[in-house]
């Protein structure tokens, strides 16, 4: 039995809804730790209200945040999976279904006129990324709607990447300056996803992947891991705090993803607010769905 | 950090007594007027016209809300605060209609703060992203004005809406300004240490 359009549409709708109504356990754990460690009373209170909000969303079957994002999915297709029908059509159908059923306030506007078709669908929206998993008999889908607040403050810069590259301190300074100038506007506590290296097109992609990487998974290279730790500590010394009202908790995590580059070393920063909407599942060729 | 319970409409002296950092739980009526379609209400303020609803001593919110009509009644799906500076407020709006509190996130500009000082109005920060918390504190929709337009104004009845943190008080003190200055100072002190490579 193959994976059908209907199965994929239902899965997309289900994952989008789950992403909106829950907060991943790794983010919750980081919030609880931050609440415990926070020394500013107002900041502590704000983090407590965030934790209470997530509980209320679960108890009352509500969305965590009213910004339900620009629809976006990551698809990893097992090379031994059996799919029939049009995947892209299925993704659009599932997105439209949840947009109408919940209903959502669609934040999908025409790029020139600003017209909102009201469907959460548009040219190149949902934003979908495809990858493959060798030999696997399933498709792995992640719904990760893109919230507007953090997106405003994403940044990109080129550095020299030749045999005598710019020192890594240049990159660190770029990150700190970006966070400092954003201040409270992207709704801290933040998750900072950073892409270093690869190419112009790929680096923003790995920055995004870094921003949805579970907060308890660290970069495998100890040198990069050290940069993650250092940046997190420095960001939290800025004193921006939750919602920009001061405190020790400006970021919950700094996640870096890396890759080799040519003569130019691009760096991209994806700023994610605390409401890190994401949900994943695998769908097997026999129709079984396993939520991850 | 004081914790205070207030009921809207508010009175001027209670509002003037609030200080930045106070934590408020608010009950009574709040208006969604500063949403995506707030221009109509702002035009009224520019022309100094009377609005078709009573705002004096009232509380207005920068929020996005999703509502649905079941038979003849409107029901709230969800609502949450938005960044106030993206949806500008006419300072005259606060002056003309004697607004006592603005609810939003991120604070407001200097001209608005000047009007707030004159009138006796505070800025109350609700935690960004906390739509479930906001929605569960809404106990009903009292009225909808300009119903079928994107400019619609909604009067919500809320119970213990909070925590709302006084971000700007009626003396013009601002948490945001204080933190901005502090961040700038700290940024100058931060020296990025050379790595061992």
């Amino acid at each position: 039995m193959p994976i059908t359009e209907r199965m994929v549409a239902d899965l997309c709708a289900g994952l989008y809804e789950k992403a909106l109504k829950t907060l991943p356990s790794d983010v919750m754990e980081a919030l609880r730790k931050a609440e415990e460690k926070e020394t500013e009373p107002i900041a502590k209170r704000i983090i407590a209200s965030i934790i209470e909000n997530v509980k209320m969303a679960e108890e009352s079957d509500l969305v965590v945040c009213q910004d339900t994002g620009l629809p976006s999915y990551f698809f990893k297709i097992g090379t031994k999976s059996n799919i029939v029908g049009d995947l892209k059509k299925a993704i659009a159908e599932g997105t439209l279904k949840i947009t109408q059923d919940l209903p959502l306030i669609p934040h999908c506007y025409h790029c020139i006129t600003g017209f909102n078709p009201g469907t959460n669908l548009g040219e190149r929206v949902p934003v979908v990324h495809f990858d493959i998993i060798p030999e696997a008999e399933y498709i792995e889908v992640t719904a990760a709607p893109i919230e507007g607040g953090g997106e405003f403050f994403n940044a990109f810069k080129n550095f020299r990447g030749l045999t005598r590259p710019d020192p890594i301190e240049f990159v660190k300074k770029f990150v700190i300056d970006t966070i400092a100038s954003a201040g409270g506007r992207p709704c801290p506590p933040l998750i900072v996803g950073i892409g270093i290296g690869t190419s112009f097109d790929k680096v923003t992609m790995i920055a995004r992947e870094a921003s949805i990487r579970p907060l308890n998974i660290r970069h495998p290279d100890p040198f990069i891991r050290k940069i993650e730790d250092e940046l997190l500590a420095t960001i939290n010394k800025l004193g921006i705090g939750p919602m920009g009202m001061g405190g020790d908790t400006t970021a919950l995590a700094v996640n870096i993803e890396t890759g080799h580059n040519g003569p130019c070393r691009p760096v991209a920063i994806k700023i994610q607010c605390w409401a890190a909407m994401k949900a994943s599942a695998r769908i097997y060729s026999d129709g079984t769905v396993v939520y991850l | 950090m004081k914790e205070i319970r207030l009921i809207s409409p508010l009175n001027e002296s209670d509002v003037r007594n609030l200080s930045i950092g106070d934590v408020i739980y608010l009950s009574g009526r709040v208006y969604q007027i500063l949403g995506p379609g707030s221009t109509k209400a702002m035009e009224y303020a520019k022309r100094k016209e009377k609005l078709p609803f009573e705002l004096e001593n009232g509380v207005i919110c920068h929020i996005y809300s999703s509502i649905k009509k079941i038979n003849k009644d409107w029901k709230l799906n969800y609502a949450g605060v938005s960044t106030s500076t993206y949806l500008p407020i006419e300072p005259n709006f606060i002056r003309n209609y004697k607004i006592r509190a603005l609810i939003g996130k991120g604070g407001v500009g200097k001209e608005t703060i000047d009007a707030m000082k004159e009138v006796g109005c505070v800025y109350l920060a609700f935690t960004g992203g906390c739509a479930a918390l906001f929605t569960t504190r809404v106990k009903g929709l009292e009225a909808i004005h300009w119903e079928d337009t994107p400019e619609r104004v909604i009067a919500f009845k809320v119970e213990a809406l909070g925590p709302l943190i006084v971000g700007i008080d009626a003396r013009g003190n601002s948490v945001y300004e204080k933190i901005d200055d502090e961040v700038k100072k700290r940024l100058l002190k931060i020296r990025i240490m050379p790595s061992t490579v």
Side-chain angles (χ1 to χ4, degrees), chain A residues 2-79:
Chain A
I3 298 169
T4 62
E5 266 181 32
R6 172 86 352 250
M7 288 179 198
V8 173
D10 288 345
L11 185 62
C12 286
L15 286 173
Y16 194 172
E17 184 173 11
K18 189 184 175 205
L20 296 177
K21 291 184 174 175
T22 58
L23 201 63
S25 56
D26 56 292
V27 182
M28 275 305 269
E29 197 190 309
L31 282 165
R32 282 196 203 96
K33 275 188 193 155
E35 187 199 10
E36 219 177 273
K37 269 173 59 186
E38 179 61 61
T39 57
E40 283 291 332
I42 290 177
K44 218 179 175 76
R45 192 62 170 263
I46 294 172
I47 303 171
S49 72
I50 290 172
I51 294 170
E52 193 194 345
N53 178 66
V54 177
K55 281 185 202 149
M56 295 304 290
E58 215 160 293
E59 281 169 23
S60 310
D61 194 31
L62 287 164
V63 294
V64 169
C65 177
Q66 81 286 349
D67 179 355
T68 51
L70 186 70
S72 179
Y73 303 89
F74 290 82
F75 269 71
K76 287 184 187 165
I77 297 173
T79 52

Side-chain angles (χ1 to χ4, degrees), chain B residues 13-14 20-21 26 30 42 68 77 81 85 91 116-117 121 128 130-131 137 139 141 155 164 169 179 184:
Chain B
S13 66
D14 284 351
I20 50 171
L26 181 76
V30 301
M42 292 303 125
K68 64 180 167 214
N77 293 319
V81 293
T85 46
M116 288 164 63
K117 269 158 75 176
C121 173
C130 289
R137 302 291 161 90
K139 299 301 167 192
L141 269 67
L164 293 158
D169 64 26
I179 298 302
K184 273 179 205 143

